[in-house]
């Protein structure tokens, strides 16, 4: 079976050589969209034979003439800028250690910040966890607060509302850390913790939380859940470093955090974090996810 050769690596020189024109990007999208695993089938009549369509690499059904572009039904549909720029943005957001804020993107690509903000929201949605690989082994869980920042305002405003986040991190041997997930919650109750646990934690995980009573009812479903005194954070050192890194990252480049948006940032952060040891394939994976998922509109 033929394997699709997706772009591999985080090197921007290599990236620029690989993608030189919109045409290159359309070709790439068509290969992601239609391949042996996912063969072409007309969206309108289901026929499998096609000819050339109007746009680069689009496919026109030979039976009903329906012309499907490579971007139709993907997150790249109806862009306000070229596909090449979109690929550049996805590359930056997915491969740079700290991603890029909409302000930085707008400066680099000479686009309106709002335009970048909107596209970045799509990328973040593609970065949401599939929830298919729950955390396993020893997992530390805690909650923390994040201030809600306003666009253009630096730092913490005293009036700003704070949002509560529940977070889980795998602790490996010798204090090494594994993967992590985080979710915005309304309050620190078992009712709010449960959907997060169910989505991201294996039932057989050795979960450790502090002595907060909100975690107690979860012992029914998670028999290995243990509660330990926090000891001013000493018992959850790795998790608290992780939390500080997230808070620093959010404070540094992102200032617009409604509840939905904050979840987007947490997803983005952990999407990269959980793949930090295999970043080479992250761009291709993000493109794939953007081809096969429809964007959810954000109520602004
Ligand atoms: Zn057709």
């Amino acid at each position: 079976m033929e394997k699709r050769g997706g772009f591999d690596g985080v090197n921007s020189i290599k990236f620029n050589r690989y993608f030189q024109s919109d045409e290159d990007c359309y070709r790439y999208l068509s290969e992601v969209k239609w391949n042996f695993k996912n063969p072409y089938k007309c969206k309108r009549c289901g026929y499998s034979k096609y000819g050339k369509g109007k746009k680069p690499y689009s496919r026109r059904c030979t039976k009903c003439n329906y012309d499907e572009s490579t971007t139709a039904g993907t997150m790249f549909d109806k862009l306000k800028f070229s596909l090449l720029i979109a690929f550049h943005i996805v590359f930056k957001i997915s491969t740079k250690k700290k991603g890029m804020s909409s302000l930085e993107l707008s400066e680099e690509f000479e686009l309106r910040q709002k335009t970048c903000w909107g596209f970045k929201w799509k990328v973040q949605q593609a970065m949401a966890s599939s929830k298919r690989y729950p955390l396993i082994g020893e997992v530390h869980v805690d909650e923390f607060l994040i201030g809600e920042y306003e666009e253009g305002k630096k730092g913490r405003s005293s009036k700003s509302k704070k949002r509560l986040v529940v977070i889980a991190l795998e602790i490996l041997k010798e204090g090494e850390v594994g993967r992590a997930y985080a979710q915005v919650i309304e309050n620190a109750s078992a009712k709010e913790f449960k959907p997060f646990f169910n989505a991201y934690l294996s039932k057989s995980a050795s979960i450790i939380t502090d002595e907060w009573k909100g975690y107690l009812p979860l012992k029914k479903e998670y028999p290995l859940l243990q509660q330990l005194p926090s000891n001013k954070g000493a018992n959850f050192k790795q998790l608290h470093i992780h939390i500080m890194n997230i808070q620093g990252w959010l404070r540094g480049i992102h200032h617009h955090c409604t509840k939905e948006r904050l979840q987007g940032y947490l997803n983005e952060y952990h999407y990269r974090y959980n793949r930090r040891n295999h970043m080479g394939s992250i761009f291709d994976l993000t493109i794939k996810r953007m081809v096969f998922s429809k964007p959810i509109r954000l109520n602004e």
Side-chain angles (χ1 to χ4, degrees):
M1 254 188 286
E2 201 189 329
K3 206 176 171 277
R4 195 182 69 82
F7 179 82
D8 183 64
V10 299
N11 180 328
S12 58
I13 295 172
K14 201 176 144 198
F15 182 85
N16 287 327
R17 221 179 278 143
Y18 203 97
F19 298 103
Q20 297 188 5
S21 63
D22 282 335
E23 185 113 359
D24 292 339
C25 304
Y26 281 114
R27 177 184 44 79
Y28 200 86
L29 281 192
S30 79
E31 286 167 5
V32 170
K33 196 173 187 179
W34 299 301
N35 49 59
F36 72 90
K37 255 177 146 181
N38 205 52
Y40 168 82
K41 206 172 138 200
C42 172
K43 276 231 169 92
R44 195 189 277 161
C45 77
Y47 202 55
S48 62
K49 290 202 173 94
Y50 61 90
K52 251 181 107 179
K54 246 189 195 161
K55 288 187 181 164
Y57 296 93
S58 74
R59 294 185 177 188
R60 187 194 292 272
C61 170
T62 53
K63 197 172 176 186
C64 77
N65 261 339
Y66 177 71
D67 185 347
E68 186 183 338
S69 70
T70 54
T71 57
T74 77
M75 287 187 174
F76 295 100
D77 205 19
K78 298 186 177 79
L79 290 177
K80 291 176 181 146
F81 41 86
S82 76
L83 190 58
L84 183 61
I85 289 184
F87 268 48
H88 271 271
I89 294 178
V90 174
F91 183 69
K92 296 268 182 188
I93 298 178
S94 56
T95 62
K96 276 182 76 143
K97 199 170 171 236
K98 294 185 169 184
M100 253 178 122
S101 71
S102 55
L103 182 64
E104 289 171 313
L105 290 170
S106 81
E107 283 166 358
E108 176 139 0
F109 298 104
E110 296 180 333
L111 295 168
R112 290 173 62 211
Q113 189 182 350
K114 212 180 158 211
T115 303
C116 296
W117 193 81
F119 185 65
K120 194 175 161 180
W121 168 243
K122 289 186 190 172
V123 181
Q124 285 180 332
Q125 286 178 72
M127 289 176 161
S129 168
S130 67
K131 297 174 182 165
R132 281 187 298 165
Y133 307 101
L135 303 180
I136 52 170
E138 186 175 329
V139 179
H140 291 184
V141 178
D142 202 357
E143 331 87 55
F144 66 99
L145 287 165
I146 285 182
E148 192 175 287
Y149 307 99
E150 281 175 56
E151 194 87 49
K153 268 191 201 167
K154 288 227 166 162
R156 224 167 262 247
S157 143
S158 58
K159 278 186 286 179
S160 73
K161 200 179 154 188
K162 290 193 174 150
R163 298 215 173 266
L164 192 62
V165 174
V166 60
I167 187 158
L169 172 70
E170 286 173 342
I171 307 295
L172 311 176
K173 273 180 202 148
E174 285 155 20
E176 293 280 313
V177 289
R179 295 170 302 141
Y181 291 110
Q183 186 168 302
V184 185
I185 51 173
E186 291 298 329
N187 53 60
S189 67
K191 194 176 150 254
E192 289 286 309
F193 292 146
K194 192 175 150 44
F196 174 73
F197 273 58
N198 292 166
Y200 298 109
L201 303 182
S202 163
K203 293 273 190 292
S204 60
S206 305
I207 299 161
I208 303 179
T209 71
D210 62 19
E211 289 172 306
W212 172 242
K213 64 180 190 315
Y215 292 110
L216 264 174
L218 290 154
K219 279 190 178 175
K220 264 182 260 159
E221 267 186 87
Y222 296 85
L224 300 182
L225 191 150
Q226 243 189 307
Q227 293 197 295
L228 280 183
S230 164
N231 206 359
K232 283 182 183 153
N235 284 334
F236 299 91
K237 205 174 143 208
Q238 295 100 326
L239 183 56
H240 286 156
I241 291 170
H242 186 80
I243 291 170
M244 273 180 355
N245 289 339
I246 295 174
Q247 286 170 325
W249 174 69
L250 278 167
R251 208 176 291 131
I253 54 171
H254 305 281
H255 306 289
H256 196 102
C257 276
T258 58
K259 186 183 175 186
E260 273 175 310
R261 227 32 232 267
L262 176 57
Q263 187 60 52
Y265 286 120
L266 293 171
N267 293 346
E268 180 197 334
Y269 189 91
H270 290 102
Y271 179 79
R272 276 191 306 264
Y273 183 82
N274 292 342
R275 290 170 180 80
R276 63 196 182 278
N277 297 325
H278 36 94
M279 287 295 278
S281 55
I282 203 167
F283 168 79
D284 185 58
L285 178 67
T286 313
I287 295 287
K288 263 188 219 155
R289 282 170 164 233
M290 291 182 75
V291 164
F292 292 110
S293 43
K294 278 219 164 90
I296 305 154
R297 284 200 162 264
L298 184 64
N299 291 325
E300 287 178 51

